[in-house]
Amino acid sequence: MPSTNRRTRIARRTAVALATMSVVAAVASAVPSTATAVSDSSGSTHHTVIQARNAESASTAPNLRVKAANGVTYQYRRFGHPSPGSVPLVFLQHYRGTLDNWDPKLIDTIAAKREVVLVDNVGVGGSTGTTPSTIQQMSLDAIDFVDALKLPHYDLFGFSLGGQVAQEVALRRPWQVRRVVLASTAPQGGVDQRASDPKVLASALADNPGPADFLFLFFKNTASSQAAGAEFLQRLGQRTTDPDAPSSLSTRDAQLTAMSEWGIPDKSKLVRLNALFQPVLVADGDSDILMPPKNSHLMAKYLPNARLSIYPDSGHGFLFQYAVKFGTEVNAFLDR
């Protein structure tokens, strides 16, 4: 492939990255999935899941589909190296993000030690249905997905919006959720979650944002952090087949409404965290402009069993800037 064409492909793929990225129409009509799990037949579903578990990379794992009791067909990827006694780690994605927006370096670091499950929630990417406009309904939708996979126990990894959803899932299903990782997120009723800076809003709400918007929103304005962001954008280009569908503008609007409601300051909501008794790893960058790290400090204060990690010289995308280091920390936390 000529270098110009490759740069164009990577730019299109990275245009959907993280909280501000949306894919151009050419990627939206990409190749259909090669693996599905929509049949109600347990034998068919089992065969497909085994296929997924044999995949060893976030860049090659096939897209799978399962139909849940709520009538939604969820698109997901399931792979990794489960060890005896481990449980699957379910990943819940950020605002406007899809399966393709997870850093393969981070995911593969974690998947080297356990089974991982990446999912598009209702109405997002390749999943059917209409994206709801409340975190509470998103959590119920995530639970329907897990129930469709028949997972009796699992760990949760929630990033940004996904971290808000993960908190609700853990509160609603305490008998199933074993441990929780909350990255660059905030508690309901926390502080400074509702962005008002015109530059932040312009990048976050753009119909067709580009890499510059992403670098501004997710990486600190230092040479080292911006360089790490550029490397991450290149890594997103590693997946060359079976891409996910882009998030729609209606999904953007619904998710933004949900996060805005969640972020209304209300100290009385913080006490709900006392009921989330599972061990929790709370982490963020020291210069997160979307979910200020003071929210991570709040969660660590109110959660009864929390561990706090703040990464230096980084922003909302610290987990991609420190992909191997954070992935290793996640595995150590989940293995305790």
Side-chain angles (χ1 to χ4, degrees):
M1 176 182 291
S3 60
T4 300
N5 289 342
R6 177 172 175 77
R7 286 196 299 270
T8 300
R9 175 178 62 79
I10 292 174
R12 286 177 176 176
R13 291 290 302 280
T14 57
V16 290
L18 293 132
T20 61
M21 304 298 106
S22 60
V23 186
V24 295
V27 174
S29 57
V31 180
S33 299
T34 58
T36 59
V38 296
S39 171
D40 290 334
S41 165
S42 59
S44 172
T45 301
H46 176 73
H47 173 73
T48 305
V49 168
I50 292 300
Q51 268 191 303
R53 289 175 180 172
N54 289 337
E56 296 183 358
S57 170
S59 299
T60 60
N63 292 332
L64 305 172
R65 296 188 181 93
V66 63
K67 188 171 183 179
N70 60 0
V72 171
T73 297
Y74 292 82
Q75 183 156 281
Y76 68 103
R77 295 171 187 159
R78 184 175 183 179
F79 59 99
H81 299 80
S83 58
S86 68
V87 299
L89 177 61
V90 178
F91 284 75
L92 301 174
Q93 187 59 291
H94 60 79
Y95 164 68
R96 298 180 77 170
T98 69
L99 300 176
D100 287 344
N101 300 137
W102 289 110
D103 186 347
K105 193 173 186 179
L106 170 71
I107 300 301
D108 288 349
T109 297
I110 296 173
K113 292 290 188 71
R114 65 196 66 256
E115 185 177 27
V116 301
V117 181
L118 318 179
V119 61
D120 285 333
N121 211 344
V122 173
V124 177
S127 293
T128 65
T130 300
T131 303
S133 58
T134 68
I135 300 300
Q136 288 75 18
Q137 184 57 50
M138 291 177 188
S139 72
L140 294 173
D141 293 338
I143 288 170
D144 280 332
F145 165 72
V146 172
D147 286 350
L149 292 188
K150 296 179 170 58
L151 300 181
H153 303 286
Y154 51 93
D155 294 327
L156 285 174
F157 184 118
F159 172 39
S160 192
L161 166 68
Q164 298 169 349
V165 177
Q167 292 171 57
E168 287 296 301
V169 174
L171 286 169
R172 293 172 185 271
R173 288 291 182 92
W175 64 91
Q176 288 184 322
V177 177
R178 192 186 66 111
R179 291 175 181 263
V180 184
V181 178
L182 299 176
S184 301
T185 191
Q188 186 176 16
V191 293
D192 297 339
Q193 298 180 51
R194 294 153 61 87
S196 58
D197 184 287
K199 189 176 180 181
V200 171
L201 289 173
S203 290
L205 294 174
D207 287 357
N208 293 294
D213 297 295
F214 167 73
L215 291 173
F216 163 64
L217 288 171
F218 285 84
F219 292 85
K220 190 175 180 178
N221 187 27
T222 62
S224 54
S225 187
Q226 290 291 302
E231 291 173 1
F232 164 69
L233 292 178
Q234 290 293 321
R235 290 198 296 272
L236 288 188
Q238 291 177 7
R239 188 178 181 90
T240 57
T241 60
D242 207 14
D244 198 0
S247 288
S248 66
L249 295 182
S250 61
T251 286
R252 175 200 66 183
D253 295 342
Q255 290 180 339
L256 187 63
T257 299
M259 290 190 298
S260 295
E261 180 186 22
W262 179 270
I264 296 172
D266 185 348
K267 291 183 179 180
S268 69
K269 299 290 187 183
L270 297 175
V271 298
R272 299 175 74 247
L273 294 174
N274 292 330
L276 206 166
F277 58 79
Q278 299 94 328
V280 181
L281 172 61
V282 179
D284 200 356
D286 65 356
S287 300
D288 188 342
I289 62 174
L290 293 176
M291 296 284 181
K294 62 181 71 175
N295 286 290
S296 291
H297 286 278
L298 274 176
M299 289 189 292
K301 176 182 178 181
Y302 282 91
L303 288 165
N305 190 3
R307 170 182 173 182
L308 178 65
S309 288
I310 302 296
Y311 282 72
D313 186 37
S314 59
H316 199 63
F318 83 93
L319 63 172
F320 307 136
Q321 181 170 338
Y322 295 95
V324 173
K325 183 175 181 179
F326 186 57
T328 301
E329 181 178 10
V330 168
N331 277 333
F333 167 74
L334 296 178
D335 286 340
R336 286 194 308 171

